Amino acid sequence: MTPTPPPPDPGPGTVGPAAVGFSRVSVRLPRGVERVDRILERAGSSPLERRMFAKFHGLRDSPTLAPDESMEDLLVGAARDALGGRGADVVLYGHTQSVQDFACAPGFAQRLRGALGLPGAGVYGVSQINCVSVLRALEMARRYPSRPGALPGDRVLVLGGDHGSVADAARIVPSVTVAGDAAAAVVVHGPDGNDVPRYRYLSGGALRDGRFHRSLRMTTKELALFSRSCVGHLATALREATDRAGIGFPDIDWIMPDLSSALFWRNFCRETGIRQERICLDLLPERGHNNGVDALCALQHADTTGRLGPGDRVALVALGPGAYFQVVIVEVAPESSR
């Protein structure tokens, strides 16, 4: 089976992709932290496998909710900060786990609206596409300001986060990564004097390879083929995004990666020729993989530590079993527009 892209992008409409802006990213982390080695030991992993996770994947710590914390509270905190005291017309909640422990009780959407002061907002989940869910929600959100009948002040809150530590069986992807708990939020808006963009949307690219639809239930043979295919598929999605933006790989200043494994990114750089110093892996040892919010967390960290400059072009990247690949390219807005 040949890898296929998602349905065709209907295009940005009258607003145009460069006019769609993203706010600064808000991130909320739990107070707790667990050592990845301890999580793997508890799950019965061998000493050899535990050393592999540390040495080759680069994983050390995983954010973990403290006993008195809830994932819902992290999501609300990130969302409030991103909204900045203003409203939103739509909330898109991207999540990797199909069933969230905190949402099993009825009324999550209503509680979220109430906590954020958004009684009339539509709340929609974006799931069933694993760790691509949050960046796919960004792609959906950027089309909202260009729909027929759009208003200048339209805003979409994109929210992401999973209770990765709900069970060791859920947070460990054998031989690949260990997931933790984190929440991130960003506001997507059209051109409006009340919303000053931190980032401007440039383009996106996506790909799915249906051969790997069994996801985490893949056979050993399928998993090996999936691992070999990932670098090429992600490079194809990135090429699609750069082509749409009218730029090439050398024009990308930074890549905000999926933070599941340092080994994957070494292979990616070797096969694509992209310099490893352009991949922002700073958070990998201390936070590791946090499902769909990895790229947003890396972007927020790079921004707050002064790494980004006006005009920098940044590729946000996500990939996951299934097999799904998503790239969103943004440009850091010039100082004059902030």
Side-chain angles (χ1 to χ4, degrees):
M1 183 181 293
T2 302
T4 57
D9 186 341
T14 58
V15 175
V20 176
F22 296 172
S23 71
R24 289 182 184 271
V25 177
S26 173
V27 173
R28 286 293 183 275
L29 299 171
R31 297 194 311 274
V33 175
E34 280 195 277
R35 301 286 288 190
V36 168
D37 185 75
R38 177 70 186 98
I39 297 167
L40 293 169
E41 181 182 31
R42 191 167 62 229
S45 297
S46 68
L48 178 62
E49 184 178 14
R50 284 152 45 200
R51 286 196 298 271
M52 179 189 72
F53 269 78
K55 182 175 181 180
F56 295 107
H57 295 314
L59 300 171
R60 187 188 68 214
D61 296 328
S62 182
T64 304
L65 288 166
D68 61 340
E69 292 181 301
S70 75
M71 192 66 211
E72 190 169 328
D73 288 341
L74 292 189
L75 290 166
V76 169
R80 279 178 177 158
D81 186 48
L83 287 170
R86 298 181 59 203
D89 306 282
V90 177
V91 179
L92 297 181
Y93 170 42
H95 52 98
T96 296
Q97 296 175 2
S98 298
V99 178
Q100 296 287 337
D101 182 61
F102 61 84
C104 287
F108 169 66
Q110 291 82 351
R111 293 194 304 273
L112 186 64
R113 289 191 195 98
L116 300 178
L118 304 175
V123 178
Y124 304 94
V126 180
S127 189
Q128 304 295 327
I129 49 176
N130 294 316
C131 296
V132 163
S133 59
V134 179
L135 293 192
R136 185 65 57 81
L138 275 181
E139 273 290 341
M140 293 176 179
R142 67 92 178 169
R143 299 176 189 178
Y144 188 75
S146 59
R147 77 194 188 285
L151 300 174
D154 286 344
R155 307 174 96 218
V156 179
L157 173 68
V158 174
L159 186 60
D162 288 84
H163 187 176
S165 70
V166 66
D168 287 344
R171 76 191 301 187
I172 298 173
V173 181
S175 302
V176 177
T177 195
V178 173
D181 307 323
V186 62
V187 173
V188 180
H189 57 83
D192 177 22
N194 295 317
D195 267 312
V196 181
R198 172 57 180 167
Y199 312 102
R200 292 175 174 169
Y201 175 89
L202 294 185
S203 65
L207 183 146
R208 187 197 176 195
D209 189 336
R211 292 177 298 172
F212 307 111
H213 65 92
R214 289 165 53 85
S215 190
L216 298 181
R217 297 184 297 277
M218 288 187 289
T219 65
T220 302
K221 183 178 180 180
E222 289 170 333
L223 186 59
L225 179 59
F226 171 68
S227 297
R228 293 196 301 270
S229 302
C230 277
V231 167
H233 285 351
L234 183 57
T236 298
L238 182 59
R239 178 68 67 190
E240 178 187 345
T242 54
D243 287 349
R244 285 181 172 175
I247 60 177
F249 282 8
D251 301 307
I252 296 295
D253 297 289
W254 305 104
I255 292 179
M256 303 300 160
D258 170 281
L259 292 169
S260 57
S261 169
L263 178 61
F264 172 83
W265 290 105
R266 285 195 291 270
N267 292 338
F268 181 82
C269 291
R270 185 179 64 250
E271 294 191 28
T272 62
I274 293 175
R275 300 193 311 275
Q276 195 162 339
E277 58 267 26
R278 293 163 63 191
I279 316 289
C280 293
L281 293 171
D282 310 42
L283 295 179
L284 185 61
E286 64 185 77
R287 293 192 200 170
H289 183 50
N290 292 284
N291 294 301
V293 300
D294 281 358
L296 289 182
C297 288
L299 179 64
Q300 187 259 4
H301 178 73
D303 205 346
T304 56
T305 54
R307 179 172 293 188
L308 304 183
D312 279 0
R313 290 160 174 167
V314 183
L316 312 179
V317 170
L319 63 151
Y324 301 92
F325 304 82
Q326 183 73 53
V327 176
V328 173
I329 298 179
V330 300
E331 182 179 69
V332 181
E335 295 291 342
S336 59
S337 69
R338 287 185 245 145

